[in-house]
């Protein structure tokens, strides 16, 4: 991921390493780790983070140049995903830098980068339709009877599907709904974001 810094000859280069479920699976030498806090204290009205699933199903590492020290990015929060959708910012190459923006971004450049990676991966990573199936646990596994299509047919969008779950308006892949108070079960109203449905995983 590459971005120029306005008014400067310096370029900010972020190199996302292949994502993994656990840092130990990268097979690379993790020289430095991020100084960003990996723990979050949520307010009563804040949407909970998805731990090790959804937008945080994988761990990402970045470097400022090829062969440089790697930094693990923190998990992304729903609030950061929602804010990142409203912003277009150049990256400076310094993960701890504040993100000067309006609306205010709830985090620093490392959090902003991680939020954009979540948006990009959920939107653009595709696979041939029928290559994977969703198992009982909600994960993906290879389909037993997958037959590759001829190359000329792979030009049709209908023959491809999104590899990762849809990142919904709420900033999560799985919608979180508040529990209705006991005395308001019949009159309690959920927000539009809480009522959002689909699209299902592996849709074209």
């Amino acid at each position: 991921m590459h971005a120029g810094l306005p008014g400067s000859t310096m370029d900010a280069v972020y190199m996302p390493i292949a994502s993994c479920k656990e840092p130990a699976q990268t097979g690379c030498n993790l020289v430095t780790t991020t100084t960003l806090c990996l723990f979050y204290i949520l307010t009563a009205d804040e949407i909970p983070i998805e731990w090790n699933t959804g937008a945080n199903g994988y761990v990402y590492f970045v470097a400022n140049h090829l062969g440089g020290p790697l930094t693990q990015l923190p998990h992304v929060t729903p609030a950061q995903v929602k804010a990142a959708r409203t912003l277009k910012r150049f990256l400076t190459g310094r993960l701890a830098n504040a993100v000067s923006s309006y609306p205010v971004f709830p985090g620093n450049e490392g959090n902003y980068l991680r939020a954009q990676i979540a948006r990009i991966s959920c939107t653009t990573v595709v696979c041939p339709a029928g290559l994977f199936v969703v198992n009982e646990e909600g994960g993906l596994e290879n389909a037993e009877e997958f037959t590759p299509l001829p190359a000329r047919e792979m030009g049709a969008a209908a023959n491809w599907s999104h590899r990762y779950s849809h990142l919904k308006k709420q900033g999560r892949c799985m919608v979180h709904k508040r529990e209705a108070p006991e005395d308001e079960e019949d009159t309690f109203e959920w927000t539009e974001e809480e009522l959002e449905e689909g699209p299902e995983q592996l849709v074209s």
Side-chain angles (χ1 to χ4, degrees), residues 3-195:
L5 179 64
S8 171
T9 58
M10 182 185 73
D11 281 338
V13 180
Y14 286 117
M15 179 187 64
I17 304 301
S19 57
C20 61
K21 287 290 186 182
E22 297 293 340
Q25 295 178 2
T26 57
C28 58
N29 182 21
L30 182 61
V31 181
T32 61
T33 57
T34 181
T35 57
L36 305 175
C37 180
L38 299 180
F39 300 93
Y40 303 91
I41 299 177
L42 301 178
T43 63
D45 298 330
E46 195 167 357
I47 302 170
I49 190 175
E50 293 182 295
W51 290 104
N52 302 319
T53 186
N56 292 313
Y58 292 86
V59 176
Y60 291 89
F61 297 86
V62 295
N64 284 91
H65 59 274
L66 293 175
L70 304 178
T71 300
Q72 179 182 337
L73 294 178
H75 278 348
V76 66
T77 68
Q80 290 166 352
V81 172
K82 293 174 68 175
R85 285 172 169 155
T86 67
L87 304 175
K88 294 182 179 180
R89 302 292 302 172
F90 283 103
L91 301 173
T92 68
R94 301 180 179 89
L95 296 176
N97 272 14
V99 179
S100 178
S101 64
Y102 182 82
V104 176
F105 181 79
N108 55 25
E109 186 166 301
N111 301 118
Y112 178 71
L113 174 62
R114 180 62 184 85
Q116 298 296 13
I117 290 176
R119 295 183 59 215
I120 293 170
S121 60
C122 288
T123 305
T124 64
V125 178
V126 296
C127 61
L131 177 62
F132 297 107
V133 294
V134 181
N135 57 31
E136 296 179 354
E137 299 177 352
L140 299 184
E141 57 185 31
N142 291 326
E144 295 182 357
E145 299 180 357
F146 172 71
T147 302
L149 296 175
R152 63 180 179 277
E153 295 185 22
M154 294 307 294
N159 293 327
W160 294 87
S161 60
H162 286 278
R163 169 66 174 78
Y164 300 118
S165 300
H166 174 63
L167 195 57
K168 297 178 172 57
K169 294 179 181 179
Q170 199 178 54
R172 291 168 50 104
C173 291
M174 182 175 293
V175 171
H176 170 76
K177 297 180 69 174
R178 296 165 295 161
E179 294 186 8
E182 294 183 0
D183 57 343
E184 300 180 16
E185 292 181 352
D186 296 333
T187 59
F188 185 80
E189 294 184 0
W190 283 283
T191 65
E192 180 181 350
E193 291 181 352
E194 291 174 313
L195 296 175

